[in-house]
Amino acid sequence: MFKKTTTKRPLRSELSEKWYLVDAAGKTLGRLASKIAGVLMGKDQATFDPAVLNSINVVVINAEAIK
């Protein structure tokens, strides 16, 4: 009567390591921090799953020039 549906979770082997380079010059600290936090959690990816750790790295340059 009812069809069983399941959601496929991404496996660690299916996720690739990603690096992001962020230039902080002239940016507002709070807004930049919230965007970086979303990227680190993986919320900008179609395979987002809160139970799976992603291999995402963020490098911030020009942090001394932040507002």
Side-chain angles (χ1 to χ4, degrees), residues 13-65:
S13 59
E14 295 174 348
L15 300 173
S16 61
E17 184 176 18
K18 295 185 180 180
W19 285 85
Y20 292 93
L21 181 65
V22 178
D23 185 10
K27 304 285 194 299
T28 306
L29 176 63
R31 291 176 187 232
L32 183 63
S34 65
K35 287 185 180 186
I36 291 174
V39 169
L40 286 173
M41 288 187 282
K43 287 193 169 188
D44 63 335
Q45 298 179 2
T47 59
F48 172 69
D49 185 3
V52 176
L53 294 175
N54 295 319
S55 296
I56 299 173
N57 303 301
V58 176
V59 176
V60 180
I61 59 171
N62 294 329
E64 67 276 355

Side-chain angles (χ1 to χ4, degrees), residues 1-8:
M1 181 180 221
F2 292 106
K3 183 178 178 182
K4 183 180 177 184
T5 58
T6 59
T7 302
K8 183 186 176 306

